[in-house]
Amino acid sequence: MRVTNGARIIAGTALLALGLAACGGESSTGGAAAGQPVRMELGEPQKLFYPGDTTESEGAEVLGAVFAPLVSYDENKQVVNDVAESIKTTDNKVWTIKLKPGYSWQDDAGTPLTAQNYVDAWNYAANQDNAQGANGFFSRVEGWADLNPGEGKTVSTKEMKGLKAVDDTTFKVTLTKPFSQFKTMLGYTAFYPLPKAAFGDDGKITDAYAKQPVGQGYFKMDAPYNKGTSQTIDLTRYDKFPGEKPKFDKLQFKLYTSAETAFNDLRAGNLDIHDSLPPSAVASAKAELGERYIDQADAGVGYIGFPLQYNKIYSDIRIREAISMAIDRKTIADMVFSGTRAPADDFINPLLDGYRQGACAVCTYDPAKAKAQYAAANGPKTLELGYNSDGPHKEWIEAVANNLRANLDVQVSVKPFEKFAAILDELDAKTYSGMFRMGWAIDYPSAENYLTPVFSTVAIKTGSNYAGWSNKEFDGLLAKGDAAATQKDGLKFYQQADDILIKDLPYIPVYFYRINAAFSQHVKGVKINLLNQVEWAQVEKVA
Amino acid sequence: MSRYIIRRLIQAIPVLLGATLLIYAIVFALPGDPIAALAGEKRMDPNIVAILREQYHLNDPFLVQYWYYLVGLFRGDFGTTFAGIPVTDIMAGKFQVTINLALMALVMEAIIGVGLGLYAALRHGKAQDSLVLASTLVLISVPTLVTGFVLQLLLGVKLGVDFFPVAGVAEGWRSYLLPGFVLAGVSIAYLTRLTRTSLVETLRADYIRTAVAKGLPRRRVVGRHALRNALIPLITYLGADLGTLMGGAVITETIFNLPGIGQQLFSSVYLREQSVVVGIVTVLVLIYILANLVVDLLYAVLDPRIRYE
């Protein structure tokens, strides 16, 4: 009989352990005690960190805490100087940037920030030999072409002609053509400076620097980030920072691969800020968190595009308009996306200056008119709609297909692609002839950024103009906007360009993205800015 | 004995070569440009894409690329990701996590599975036996995804049990308890049933009757005579399962946010990172081969009639 007892003990202990632990509940949830950092959710960054090569949002979030930008954006969506004391131009072509005094690098000596640090960083990022992801951002600077002669050709210089440090705190940027929105761009990650110490003897950025970048912003990284092993990125407030400092002293980015898991961690009290709630969590987050749930506009736009360049079946504008009117954007935003998207009614996102509510009249759901117009234009009897199945697109694409089937009386086949790159490959090769899903997230908060990179003629080759749509008048208006005396004047032309888009519909806007974020009871004052980054100076810990 | 082991290890070489070639070819055949995938949904500067493609030999034909990879491998260089990070760095950290997780799961399988099986076998035909059988059936039929989320929500969020961290590996071995159990779940159930059946059968064998008739205490009959023989199929199962646990941890690792090899494999396939995928698979194949070797050697320990020469 002793054997049986033994067996019972073995089998029982494991279950008992589970049971006992379960009974011990409600004891204490992991709280943010006095010494606890503010903990923020982050996806695993793809690369190591340095300004010119960090083009993805996760790395940018970290750099945003370590570096201070030249400009930032205020509550009224306007550009305001941050590290820059003044940014002056008379012709929108030559820009003189003067730095505020007092900024220093987070090294032991507190080396002062100089204008040359910007010149070095930008020249490095713009050089094709360094193959930096953000290289294209410097293409408007005079001399960029010398650093980018093309594949297989050698770069003869290391400096752009249009970039000169005048003295320790002033530098001058000359563009090839006037660009009224240039100032707006300067808040982007690619335009951060680099300290002298970042470069090795070979002139390249060292691995050590990329693992633990030394910045001139709010926080200093405590330890190198080792991709593969590091599960957190810990930072400490940099007390020599001259601007408005954060009100707490420790920040920790926690790496997650699943947004659902991160949300559970937040509910369990092990995470303080989560800025990318999945749709599945949104319903419960609203009810459970109340004021600690944030729902605000995000600058992205989702479209459906037409391959106008090589497929003639969509060439009649009445057909494109009818398709647009047949889509019930509101229901899709509310039901399919549980309110994590908003119905689109312009090509410019409401988050920015330049958006006009209801600008796109044919973006309003009007099934009767759509059907009549489609029939009048003798639209094709079968349509194809492609999307990438590696993102959350299947449901809304199916919903759109159903709208078209029901309202236009056509057959619609839905074609999934394994990944977004596969659609783009086929569009480049002109082998896919159906409609396709497309999206755009801004690089810098200017209405111009919704137009030039996606719809201009040059963007067919170098940008995201997969429709292959080209319109001289549109290009001309963009150029006028770029050359305008002020940003406000520029906006007028951009809106006129936007009108042409709405008239011509190379893509149809379907939804605007939204940010769905949440924070724990251990913090308050969480605000997310136009660049989707948390405003660290506003966050406070709750005792 | 040592000759047997060496022979087995030499046999592993063609297996490894074949596996790497196969995986490399599969990842190569995936659609989309891996460099473009680096830029997410945006188009990278075409000039920079061209330069990066050149740098990573992506313009060369498949066999040339594979040759570059193999040459590197023989020098002990697993290559780098397309973001320039050495694959060995990535693997080192991730494998540690997955090995911890797999071992935790294996220990749980062995203790709970064999324990419950033993319990049921000794009460063969009684109510407790049926109860064990029914509960293992439930465990088998509920997918890992469900057990994972339910346990996480129940223990971590609703009850707030600090003993089981909701996610991450910051709490040391405790971090692996819950994910280990979830990962082991289905295997525990199989192992319980396997143990029960195997033991019930063995207990009916003639030599057991002899042992009982000799008047040996029951503990000795079950422990030394029956269990030892019944263990052979169990060891086979556990050995094969180690490989499955290492490779099949994607879901568990994602739910509990463990930065392990499963997650890495998933994201690397997605990004078409040949060198990472092949590197991981190579190590996984090695682990599988070694685990099977250990299993084979254990047979000889359990049953001295089995000899390797």
Side-chain angles (χ1 to χ4, degrees):
Chain A
M1 286 316 277
R2 278 184 297 161
V3 180
T4 350
N5 283 338
R8 186 184 291 147
I9 288 164
I10 295 171
T13 27
L15 291 174
L16 201 64
L18 285 171
L20 271 181
C23 296
E26 306 287 349
S27 54
S28 69
T29 33
Q36 277 264 20
V38 170
R39 298 153 301 178
M40 157 114 193
E41 175 265 355
L42 194 76
E44 183 167 8
Q46 231 174 46
K47 303 177 175 182
L48 299 178
F49 310 119
Y50 46 99
D53 211 24
T54 299
T55 49
E56 40 92 37
S57 56
E58 307 309 309
E61 185 84 52
V62 176
L63 286 184
V66 174
F67 284 86
L70 282 168
V71 300
S72 48
Y73 310 92
D74 67 7
E75 303 256 306
N76 306 315
K77 310 170 184 180
Q78 300 306 311
V79 191
V80 291
N81 291 333
D82 199 322
V83 176
E85 174 130 303
S86 65
I87 300 176
K88 287 192 180 132
T89 181
T90 50
D91 54 1
N92 281 332
K93 198 174 166 219
V94 183
W95 297 76
T96 309
I97 302 168
K98 197 166 168 44
L99 306 176
K100 276 184 195 149
Y103 282 90
S104 61
W105 292 102
Q106 302 153 347
D107 50 22
D108 294 334
T111 316
L113 172 74
T114 66
Q116 188 64 39
N117 295 145
Y118 284 90
V119 173
D120 292 345
W122 295 9
N123 277 330
Y124 185 82
N127 191 328
Q128 71 169 34
D129 282 353
N130 301 324
Q132 302 281 288
N135 177 299
F137 282 88
F138 299 92
S139 60
R140 290 177 189 267
V141 179
E142 196 174 61
W144 176 81
D146 302 335
L147 290 180
N148 294 274
E151 193 194 347
K153 299 194 182 113
T154 45
V155 182
S156 52
T157 170
K158 285 197 175 325
E159 285 157 19
M160 289 187 280
K161 280 200 292 287
L163 193 58
K164 288 254 152 48
V166 180
D167 56 44
D168 267 2
T169 57
T170 319
F171 66 106
K172 207 178 250 186
V173 189
T174 310
L175 308 178
T176 43
K177 276 190 295 188
F179 183 44
S180 58
Q181 310 297 306
F182 182 64
K183 194 176 165 181
T184 322
M185 293 178 81
L186 297 177
Y188 186 67
T189 320
F191 296 94
Y192 292 145
L194 281 168
K196 284 261 182 286
F199 300 96
D201 293 335
D202 57 354
K204 301 265 180 199
I205 290 175
T206 62
D207 252 18
Y209 183 81
K211 283 183 177 174
Q212 190 177 11
V214 171
Q216 27 73 292
Y218 296 136
F219 296 98
K220 193 180 157 147
M221 269 174 75
D222 290 351
Y225 166 70
N226 292 310
K227 193 172 157 60
T229 21
S230 296
Q231 268 312 283
T232 58
I233 298 169
D234 295 274
L235 307 109
T236 306
R237 187 173 58 203
Y238 179 56
D239 282 323
K240 284 190 205 151
F241 183 73
E244 190 190 345
K245 284 193 259 292
K247 299 175 185 74
F248 60 97
D249 55 358
K250 291 266 185 194
L251 173 64
Q252 180 180 61
F253 290 107
K254 291 179 85 173
L255 269 46
Y256 291 89
T257 40
S258 150
E260 275 90 358
T261 306
F263 181 60
N264 279 343
D265 231 7
L266 184 113
R267 295 160 90 192
N270 301 322
L271 180 72
D272 296 318
I273 306 173
H274 185 354
D275 68 346
S276 51
L277 294 182
S280 62
V282 164
S284 57
K286 261 185 217 164
E288 220 178 295
L289 302 174
E291 300 212 315
R292 294 190 281 113
Y293 169 69
I294 301 175
D295 177 30
Q296 65 178 53
D298 173 287
V301 187
Y303 317 95
I304 286 176
F306 303 98
L308 296 175
Q309 204 174 17
Y310 54 89
N311 190 350
K312 294 284 168 265
I313 70 161
Y314 302 105
S315 57
D316 189 334
I317 176 65
R318 288 176 297 167
I319 292 176
R320 305 204 290 276
E321 281 179 356
I323 291 175
S324 177
M325 285 186 288
I327 300 172
D328 185 0
R329 293 172 173 73
K330 175 127 187 39
T331 307
I332 291 175
D334 291 349
M335 307 306 291
V336 181
F337 286 119
S338 341
T340 59
R341 304 280 194 279
D345 53 0
D346 192 357
F347 280 89
I348 297 168
N349 182 294
L351 197 56
L352 295 183
D353 258 4
Y355 162 78
R356 291 161 298 168
Q357 193 176 6
C360 170
V362 291
C363 294
T364 314
Y365 184 48
D366 190 344
K369 199 174 163 200
K371 186 165 190 173
Q373 189 167 322
Y374 196 80
N378 200 13
K381 286 283 153 251
T382 55
L383 293 173
E384 193 173 5
L385 188 52
Y387 71 98
N388 50 312
S389 51
D390 60 351
H393 300 300
K394 183 175 191 290
E395 288 78 8
W396 78 268
I397 288 290
E398 294 279 4
V400 167
N402 282 332
N403 279 163
L404 298 182
R405 283 181 197 120
N407 299 330
L408 300 180
D409 201 12
V410 289
Q411 292 198 321
V412 185
S413 56
V414 171
K415 180 172 180 185
F417 287 80
E418 303 82 359
K419 47 178 81 178
F420 195 56
I423 299 187
L424 301 187
D425 282 353
E426 290 213 15
L427 288 171
D428 272 336
K430 302 184 175 151
T431 50
Y432 175 70
S433 59
M435 298 183 279
F436 51 89
R437 84 145 273 270
M438 190 53 67
W440 182 251
I442 54 164
D443 304 311
Y444 46 92
S446 160
E448 183 267 344
N449 196 236
Y450 292 104
L451 310 173
T452 316
V454 195
F455 299 107
S456 68
T457 304
V458 282
I460 297 177
K461 269 225 159 64
T462 59
S464 294
N465 187 349
Y466 291 96
W469 177 80
S470 170
N471 182 310
K472 283 222 164 60
E473 201 189 342
F474 177 81
D475 290 340
L477 283 166
L478 288 184
K480 273 190 195 160
D482 291 355
T486 64
Q487 279 190 305
K488 271 233 148 52
D489 290 349
L491 204 54
K492 264 182 272 170
F493 295 109
Y494 296 136
Q495 287 181 333
Q496 287 173 27
D498 184 38
D499 288 336
I500 293 182
L501 275 184
I502 292 165
K503 215 174 80 211
D504 229 20
L505 296 178
Y507 290 175
I508 45 178
V510 180
Y511 55 78
F512 295 130
Y513 284 86
R514 296 190 71 74
I515 293 176
N516 302 94
F519 54 95
S520 74
Q521 58 267 55
H522 309 306
V523 291
K524 63 176 188 184
V526 176
K527 288 208 169 53
I528 296 168
N529 66 21
L530 284 177
L531 295 175
N532 284 355
Q533 292 180 1
V534 177
E535 293 277 3
W536 294 116
Q538 311 292 322
V539 176
E540 276 180 76
K541 266 167 71 170
V542 179
Chain B
M1 184 76 155
S2 56
R3 262 184 59 202
Y4 174 77
I5 295 176
I6 290 167
R7 205 167 65 227
R8 281 284 295 263
L9 288 179
I10 289 173
Q11 277 169 7
I13 293 173
V15 175
L16 272 177
L17 275 179
T20 55
L21 181 67
L22 201 67
I23 299 296
Y24 206 89
I26 290 171
V27 182
F28 184 86
L30 288 175
D33 184 331
I35 298 294
L38 271 184
E41 300 225 327
K42 295 235 166 128
R43 186 181 281 192
M44 233 181 179
D45 193 300
N47 186 28
I48 299 300
V49 172
I51 287 163
L52 282 171
R53 289 185 62 87
E54 182 66 28
Q55 206 175 317
Y56 290 103
H57 307 296
L58 289 175
N59 295 323
D60 295 322
F62 166 68
L63 281 176
V64 178
Q65 286 190 38
Y66 180 64
W67 177 248
Y68 278 120
Y69 181 79
L70 266 193
V71 169
L73 211 55
F74 279 119
R75 293 202 200 107
D77 175 11
F78 276 84
T80 68
T81 70
F82 292 125
I85 296 158
V87 173
T88 35
D89 283 9
I90 289 183
M91 287 202 301
K94 307 269 169 173
F95 262 111
Q96 190 54 56
V97 171
T98 304
I99 287 173
N100 291 351
L101 176 65
L103 287 182
M104 177 63 83
L106 208 62
V107 168
M108 285 191 168
E109 268 178 39
I111 295 178
I112 306 179
V114 175
L116 271 181
L118 195 66
Y119 178 81
L122 296 177
R123 277 164 187 69
H124 178 53
K126 296 199 181 118
Q128 294 103 315
D129 181 30
S130 312
L131 188 71
V132 169
L133 281 180
S135 50
T136 52
L137 196 64
V138 172
L139 210 52
I140 289 171
S141 34
V142 180
T144 316
L145 197 66
V146 178
T147 11
F149 270 120
V150 167
L151 281 179
Q152 184 184 50
L153 261 165
L154 200 68
L155 297 178
V157 180
K158 294 279 181 237
L159 299 172
V161 185
D162 274 347
F163 190 75
F164 298 118
V166 173
V169 288
E171 307 288 328
W173 65 271
R174 277 203 286 127
S175 313
Y176 295 100
L177 279 177
L178 213 49
F181 179 76
V182 170
L183 181 62
V186 174
S187 296
I188 288 178
Y190 279 125
L191 206 62
T192 305
R193 292 174 153 241
L194 203 60
T195 312
R196 176 184 166 276
T197 319
S198 174
L199 206 60
V200 165
E201 230 161 71
T202 319
L203 284 175
R204 285 204 193 108
D206 289 343
Y207 73 92
I208 297 290
R209 202 176 311 143
T210 313
V212 176
K214 276 201 302 189
L216 284 179
R218 180 133 192 244
R219 181 200 180 99
R220 202 171 160 78
V221 173
V222 175
R224 294 292 301 238
H225 294 244
L227 197 56
R228 186 167 170 165
N229 256 3
L231 270 179
I232 289 184
L234 304 186
I235 292 290
T236 317
Y237 184 83
L238 280 174
D241 210 39
L242 179 66
T244 320
L245 291 177
M246 296 282 305
V250 186
I251 295 170
T252 318
E253 284 176 4
T254 306
I255 295 175
F256 292 97
N257 196 42
L258 305 178
I261 218 72
Q263 269 187 14
Q264 185 62 44
L265 201 57
F266 181 79
S267 67
S268 298
V269 168
Y270 177 71
L271 287 172
R272 276 196 59 184
E273 301 263 24
Q274 271 125 326
S275 46
V276 185
V277 177
V278 180
I280 290 174
V281 172
T282 309
V283 179
L284 282 179
V285 170
L286 264 176
I287 291 178
Y288 218 97
I289 290 173
L290 284 178
N292 272 311
L293 182 59
V294 171
V295 166
D296 285 353
L297 295 177
L298 274 181
Y299 289 161
V301 178
L302 289 171
D303 187 347
R305 286 173 301 179
I306 302 172
R307 297 229 172 274
Y308 301 109
E309 274 316 325

